[in-house]
């Protein structure tokens, strides 16, 4: 079983708008609501890949009910701590004319200490049945300092590998706990390391430095350019298939799901990177957020390639 932790879940709202014009009134052509926040997207795609998944999270109000019901319909075990207030919404506007996406991410309601204690209790209870833990997304107000660090240390003490996908202060604070894998995108890694996001050599070196400091693997997602997989043993560049992009939101989460399933199955770094890219491509080819149709994954998998990289050639 894969266990996901989402401290800041959301109802993801996708708005399709025919020509976004700032400062005007616009009619939305179509709305798609999905159970979201990064970890819930990971949960859905890991389930689509055939894994048993338990999603640990917080749920409040009508939005919280929408999340738990939405997940259960897809066969994911939702283990949500009830909290007062309303779970947040995140809005993703796709301009039909340009294909560009604009996102508005609400901060999420503050969470009380007792709810964190309850989530921790449930986490410790399901850890022994977990093959992999995935911790994803931003942290809501009220998150105890080093909460991600604590989750990582508990998993590692139980010999369960942990993937951490977060950014900013939450990422920086959790790094000393040495998650098994992290998956920053180019900008997130550059912000962490204080480097230019366009400087490929610096990106590579920053990923290598993180591996030297104790993280087993650093995956840098590069959008349509694919991804890098850096560990102490391997430095790989993944080349993603060319597709007709419908929705870029949730591609990183879909990649994380691919890696989580690969870890659970013990796949090689090359195969894991290909599966992750195929999941990301399947998400991008679909309007739904955090949705990777297994038929598309199968179609894209043979089109994914990896190559070993040397410092000078990337
Ligand atoms: O990765 C996409 C996404 O998961 C959206 O579904 C949206 O809910 C958002 O990211 C949340 O990100 P955050 O970092 O605030 O947890």
């Amino acid at each position: 079983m894969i266990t996901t932790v989402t401290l800041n879940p959301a109802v993801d709202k996708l708005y399709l708008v025919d020509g976004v014009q700032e400062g005007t009134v616009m009619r939305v052509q179509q709305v798609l609501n999905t159970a979201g926040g990064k970890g819930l997207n990971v949960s859905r795609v890991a389930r689509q890949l055939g894994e048993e998944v338990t999603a640990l999270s917080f749920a409040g109000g009508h939005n919280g009910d929408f999340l738990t019901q939405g997940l259960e319909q897809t066969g994911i075990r939702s283990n949500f701590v009830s909290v007062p207030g309303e779970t947040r919404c995140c809005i993703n506007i796709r301009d039909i004319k340009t294909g560009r996406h604009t996102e508005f991410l609400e901060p999420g309601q503050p969470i009380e200490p007792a709810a964190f204690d309850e989530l921790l209790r449930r986490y410790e209870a399901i850890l022994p049945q977990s093959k992999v833990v995935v911790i994803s997304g931003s942290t809501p107000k009220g998150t105890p300092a080093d909460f991600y660090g604590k989750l990582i240390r508990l998993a590692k003490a139980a010999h369960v590998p942990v993937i951490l996908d977060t950014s900013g202060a939450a990422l920086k604070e959790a790094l000393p706990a040495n998650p098994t894998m992290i998956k920053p995108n180019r900008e997130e890694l550059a912000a962490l390391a204080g480097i230019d996001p366009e400087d490929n050599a610096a990106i590579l070196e920053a990923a290598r430095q993180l591996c030297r400091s104790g993280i087993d693997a650093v995956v840098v997602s590069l959008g349509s350019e694919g991804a890098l997989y850096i560990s102490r043993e391997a430095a790989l560049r993944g080349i993603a298939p060319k597709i007709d992009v419908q929705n870029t939101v949730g591609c990183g989460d879909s990649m994380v799901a691919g890696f989580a399933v690969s870890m659970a199955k013990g796949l090689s770094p090359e195969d894991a990177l290909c599966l992750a890219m195929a999941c990301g491509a399947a998400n991008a080819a679909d309007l739904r957020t955090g949705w990777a149709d297994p038929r598309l994954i199968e179609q894209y998998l043979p089109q994914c390639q990896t190559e070993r990289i040397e410092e000078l050639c990337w």
Side-chain angles (χ1 to χ4, degrees):
M1 177 184 80
I2 290 174
T3 296
T4 64
V5 181
T6 314
L7 298 186
N8 210 357
V11 174
D12 275 339
K13 290 182 156 298
L14 171 66
Y15 287 176
L16 297 186
V17 176
D18 197 4
V20 173
Q21 281 177 299
E22 222 187 295
T24 66
V25 175
M26 285 162 284
R27 297 273 173 198
V28 175
Q29 308 291 311
Q30 200 188 335
V31 183
L32 283 181
N33 294 319
T34 42
K38 295 189 183 335
L40 300 192
N41 293 338
V42 174
S43 305
R44 204 161 34 242
V45 176
R47 183 74 198 115
Q48 288 176 302
L49 285 167
E51 284 293 324
E52 292 292 316
V53 181
T54 295
L56 262 185
S57 190
F58 297 118
H62 295 297
N63 289 343
D65 291 343
F66 175 83
L67 297 190
T68 45
Q69 285 157 14
L71 285 191
E72 271 157 24
Q73 279 162 14
T74 51
I76 295 161
R77 271 178 247 153
S78 57
N79 193 338
F80 281 49
V81 178
S82 248
V83 290
E86 196 63 53
T87 293
R88 68 176 173 158
C89 289
C90 287
I91 298 171
N92 164 20
I93 301 171
R94 175 173 169 84
D95 187 329
I96 305 167
K97 278 211 173 74
T98 63
R100 289 180 64 189
H101 288 263
T102 308
E103 283 188 81
F104 295 89
L105 308 180
E106 290 183 13
Q109 58 176 351
I111 304 288
E112 294 297 319
F116 282 101
D117 292 344
E118 177 59 19
L119 187 123
L120 196 56
R121 199 189 57 72
R122 295 188 190 190
Y123 177 77
E124 290 191 80
I126 60 172
L127 211 40
Q129 301 126 55
S130 308
K131 285 191 275 187
V132 179
V133 165
V134 180
I135 302 170
S136 297
S138 57
T139 51
K141 267 210 183 85
T143 305
D146 198 35
F147 194 72
Y148 275 172
K150 196 176 207 167
L151 298 180
I152 295 165
R153 278 188 282 270
L154 283 167
K156 293 191 81 178
H159 306 288
V160 180
V162 196
I163 304 178
L164 173 69
D165 181 18
T166 187
S167 56
L171 174 59
K172 201 169 188 170
E173 279 166 20
L175 286 180
N178 285 334
T180 314
M181 175 185 279
I182 59 171
K183 192 221 62 67
N185 61 31
R186 188 190 275 275
E187 287 71 28
E188 289 163 349
L189 180 57
L192 180 73
I195 54 172
D196 174 4
E198 299 309 320
D199 184 342
N200 286 349
I203 289 283
L204 195 55
E205 181 48 31
R208 284 195 162 135
Q209 185 50 40
L210 285 164
C211 290
R212 277 181 224 121
S213 75
I215 293 163
D216 291 354
V218 177
V219 172
V220 187
S221 51
L222 303 168
S224 58
E225 287 174 76
L228 300 179
Y229 177 103
I230 312 297
S231 70
R232 277 181 296 270
E233 297 78 34
L236 303 172
R237 188 165 88 96
I239 301 150
K242 299 270 168 282
I243 52 153
D244 179 18
V245 175
Q246 298 297 315
N247 183 8
T248 52
V249 177
C251 289
D253 307 331
S254 304
M255 288 188 69
V256 168
F259 279 115
V261 172
S262 302
M263 269 185 196
K265 291 188 168 155
L267 299 189
S268 68
E270 286 84 355
D271 289 347
L273 182 52
C274 283
L275 180 61
M277 287 189 301
C279 291
N283 180 87
D286 201 300
L287 256 191
R288 288 164 287 192
T289 304
W291 186 272
D293 186 326
R295 284 164 303 184
L296 278 185
I297 297 175
E298 231 169 83
Q299 183 186 321
Y300 292 139
L301 202 48
Q303 300 171 38
C304 296
Q305 291 166 33
T306 61
E307 58 186 28
R308 300 225 155 225
I309 47 173
E310 299 302 329
E311 258 158 279
L312 292 176
C313 69
W314 188 79

